[in-house]
């Protein structure tokens, strides 16, 4: 029985982050570490037998990466601090991951991050995501960047469509996104690749490996 890999999740307390933590907890390969900003969030995870660290994406992250093998960035400011969290916070998390020598970095991005002008309302957000993605790509870390369509709270079907570039602008459940992020933690899956996902008909395990 090989030792489980420790996976640090930024944004663990968010809607998608909590699903990711749950999936990691149930997996045979990974051990989640929830990165949270508030003491009560830390206590919430610890009550559920999940390791948690207090760290702020706008502060010092060095202590968050102790004994971390892999990392998932699933944090977001919900439009409140796009530059500070979605862009600069992601860059700081990337730098800290690099210093810690993590084996794989999985970034939750967004469709449109490569073309922010497609949405007037979300242009600043998409620009920030695109900048963070670019920073990760140039970091020298092994990475996978996942760009979902609009997130819904529907139940996860476990099936998606995946392409480097999808034609339509549709939606995908947070559960399917979370599962995709966990599935690509495997170092051999979608190595140094960027792709888009929507709800679809192909089982996630197959979609990320074909």
């Amino acid at each position: 029985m090989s030792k489980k890999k420790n996976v640090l999740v930024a944004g663990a307390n968010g809607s998608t982050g909590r699903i990711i933590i749950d999936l990691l907890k149930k997996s045979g390969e990974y051990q989640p570490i929830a990165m949270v900003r508030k003491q009560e969030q830390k206590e919430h995870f610890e009550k559920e037998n999940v390791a948690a660290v207090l760290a702020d994406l706008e502060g010092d992250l060095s202590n968050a990466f102790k004994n971390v093998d892999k990392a998932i960035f699933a944090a977001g400011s919900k439009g409140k601090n796009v530059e500070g969290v979605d862009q600069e916070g992601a860059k700081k998390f990337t730098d800290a991951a690099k210093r810690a020598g993590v084996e794989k970095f999985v970034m939750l991005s967004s469709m449109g991050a490569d073309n922010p002008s497609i949405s007037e309302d979300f242009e600043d957000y998409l620009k920030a995501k695109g900048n963070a993605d670019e920073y990760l790509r140039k970091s020298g870390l092994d990475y996978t960047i996942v760009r979902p369509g609009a997130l819904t709270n529907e139940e996860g079907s476990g099936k998606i469509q995946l392409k480097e570039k999808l034609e339509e602008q549709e939606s995908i459940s947070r559960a399917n996104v979370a599962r995709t992020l966990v599935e690509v933690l495997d170092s051999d899956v979608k190595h140094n690749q960027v792709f888009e996902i929507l709800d679809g008909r192909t089982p996630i395990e197959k979609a990320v490996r074909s």
Side-chain angles (χ1 to χ4, degrees):
M1 175 86 186
S2 58
K3 191 173 156 290
K4 287 186 178 184
K5 302 268 185 189
N6 289 329
V7 182
L8 181 65
V9 181
N13 199 53
S15 314
T16 309
R18 283 183 177 231
I19 307 171
I20 293 168
I21 294 286
D22 215 41
L23 289 168
L24 291 170
K25 203 174 148 188
K26 290 177 183 153
S27 84
E29 295 168 71
Y30 304 116
Q31 197 110 0
I33 303 171
M35 188 177 114
V36 292
R37 279 184 315 168
K38 297 178 181 154
Q39 182 61 32
E40 61 264 31
Q41 295 168 347
K42 183 172 186 276
E43 285 164 11
H44 160 82
F45 282 112
E46 286 171 345
K47 271 195 195 112
E48 297 189 348
N49 295 323
V50 172
V53 291
L54 277 176
D56 191 323
L57 286 166
E58 294 182 89
D60 179 23
L61 297 178
S62 51
N63 69 323
F65 276 86
K66 288 195 178 100
N67 304 320
V68 169
D69 301 302
K70 303 188 180 208
I72 296 178
F73 186 88
S77 68
K78 296 190 171 73
K80 293 188 193 102
N81 184 2
V82 167
E83 199 170 312
V85 173
D86 301 83
Q87 179 175 298
E88 296 310 312
K91 288 182 180 180
K92 280 180 81 169
F93 194 75
T94 302
D95 288 341
K98 187 164 187 185
R99 282 195 298 272
V102 304
E103 297 166 18
K104 176 96 184 245
F105 187 122
V106 176
M107 175 76 90
L108 172 54
S109 182
S110 172
M111 274 176 102
D114 56 343
N115 181 18
S117 59
I118 58 162
S119 166
E120 214 173 294
D121 293 348
F122 294 105
E123 188 165 359
D124 289 348
Y125 169 72
L126 294 174
K127 212 174 269 178
K129 293 305 279 178
N131 289 341
D133 292 353
E134 200 44 42
Y135 192 81
L136 173 59
R137 288 170 79 163
K138 290 178 175 160
S139 69
L141 283 162
D142 284 351
Y143 66 84
T144 301
I145 297 169
V146 181
R147 292 177 170 167
L151 301 182
T152 72
N153 293 319
E154 301 292 313
E155 209 159 306
S157 62
K159 294 179 178 177
I160 56 170
Q161 46 178 317
L162 182 158
K163 268 190 187 161
E164 199 173 316
K165 199 85 194 112
L166 287 160
E167 296 309 310
E168 58 275 27
Q169 290 285 323
E170 285 174 16
S171 62
I172 180 166
S173 70
R174 290 178 187 280
N176 282 347
V177 172
R179 179 152 292 190
T180 304
L181 295 171
V182 170
E183 209 51 57
V184 299
L185 275 170
D186 186 328
S187 296
D188 299 333
V189 173
K190 295 289 178 207
H191 180 250
N192 293 352
Q193 288 187 41
V194 185
F195 58 83
E196 298 181 345
I197 52 171
L198 295 169
D199 282 331
R201 295 185 182 161
T202 310
I204 292 168
E205 296 78 355
K206 189 175 170 202
V208 298
R209 286 176 174 82
S210 50

